[in-house]
Every structure is written in C-alpha cells, then in structure tokens.
Amino acid sequence: MKVSTLGEYIDVVENIIDDWKMDYRTTVHPWYRGQSNASWDLVPSIYRNTLKRSFEREMARDFILKAGAFTKTKPEYYLEWLYIMQHYGLPTRLLDWSESYLFALYFSVQKFKTPEDSCVWILDPWSLNDITLNIDHVTIPTVEHDELRNYELKYNNNFLEKVPDGILPIAIRPIQNNPRILAQKGTFTVHGAQAIPINNMEQHIGTKVNKIRLRKIQIAGSSKKRIYRELFKSGITPSVVFPELSGLADELKIRYSGDYTKL
C-alpha cells in the first residue's frame, strides 16, 4: 500500500487497527516505526552498521565505564544501559517504535529532500511476543522481567559474554525516564544474537510467521514534502518530537528555510 497524503495515511492506519481489532477494546495498541527508506529491513543499528556486531561488549563496557561523568543515576539492568546508548546514538540491538502513528510518519518523511520512498511499519507487539517470547502467556515485558535477562550480555566466571542467549526479536516496554522518549511515546523491540529482520523470519519460525501481525505502508517519495508540511500544520513539529532546545532550533530552521517554503 502506497500513500501520498496525510489523509490517505490515516485512513489506511485506521483500517488496519480496525481489522486487527486493536482499537479501544484492547489494552495494547499497535506500534509504529517510520523509516526514511522503504527498502530497509527491520534490523537494529548494530546489525547494519559498519562496526562489528561482536564489539557490543567493548562499546557497552567503555560507555558504562565513562558515562558516570555525565549521568547522576546508574541503571540496575544492562538493558537500561542499552536504552541510554540508543538515546545518544550508539549502535545497539534495539529498534525504536512509537505508539503514535503520526510521530512514526514524521520520522519517515523528515528527510523530505531525498527522492526514495519511505515507509511506516505497523506491528502488533502481542503477536510478535506470542511467537518469539519463551513464556507461557503473551506479555510485553518491562526491564525487570526474568526473560529479558536472556537478551543481556552476561557474566560467566567474571567474563562478560559477547552475545546474549536470546535469539529471536521481542517487544519490550522501556521506562520512559527522559522527555524525548516520553514525548515520542517510545517503545522498543530488542534483537538477540542474530541479525534476523522482523519482516523476514520465515526461515527461523516457519509458518508461525503468519501469526505475526506486521504491515508496511509505503510513502511516495514525491509526496514526502507535502506530508511533512501537513504534519507541521497539524502540530507534529521538531520541537514536539524532540522537546528540547535543539528541537526548537531545528523547527525554526526548517519553517523558514527555502526547502520548506518553496513548492
């Protein structure tokens, strides 16, 4: 499905929500992820970055050792360190999602000067965990959940392992302890030891993949600027998505730039 306007996009999303019966009748709504290139798979940055994925241990170790100079609190769990690393741009096994389909659309079109189609992925996180999470009931765990220890690097005889025990990606709820993740209604999926795209898991789980509810809405590259303007007029602007002075500065630079004001 390809859309060219904000209205078309909302209609498609609402039809998917209705088809999945995930509107006001459920406690969990779909999650959304905007990507500036529609051809990209759903894999986290550490699996598509030029850095070696095996260097997660070294990057995390150095970050944790040195981050104390810049933060007042020390996370209890390794995954909480991954949240912080992700927030500041270090490659991790996390994929960012949002509970807002308008914010996801913003992320898909914010680079409106590029010609390629973008997209928004829509995921039912319950359906993912029903297949990939190794527990008896469907849930979206928070950081304290015992199963999440399988997605952390563990100490073995005082030696930090290079890869986690977990394999398949799962959906998790982070503590929303900074203004940006709270404003963006942020959530995450976390990958395990392998670079398995969420949109291409057939070889790992066979026909069970059909039970994972995942849809892709493609955004026409020629319409990204129009949709960006429509979002801007509706109040989805950089200072709202990034509630900090840098977000406000970006908003003003874009609003009064020739790229925005010209047809």
Side-chain angles (χ1 to χ4, degrees), residues 96 98 110 196 252:
D96 296 281
S98 173
Q110 64 176 329
I196 304 170
L252 297 176

Side-chain angles (χ1 to χ4, degrees), residues 63 81 141 158 187:
F63 187 89
W81 280 112
N158 293 320
T187 57

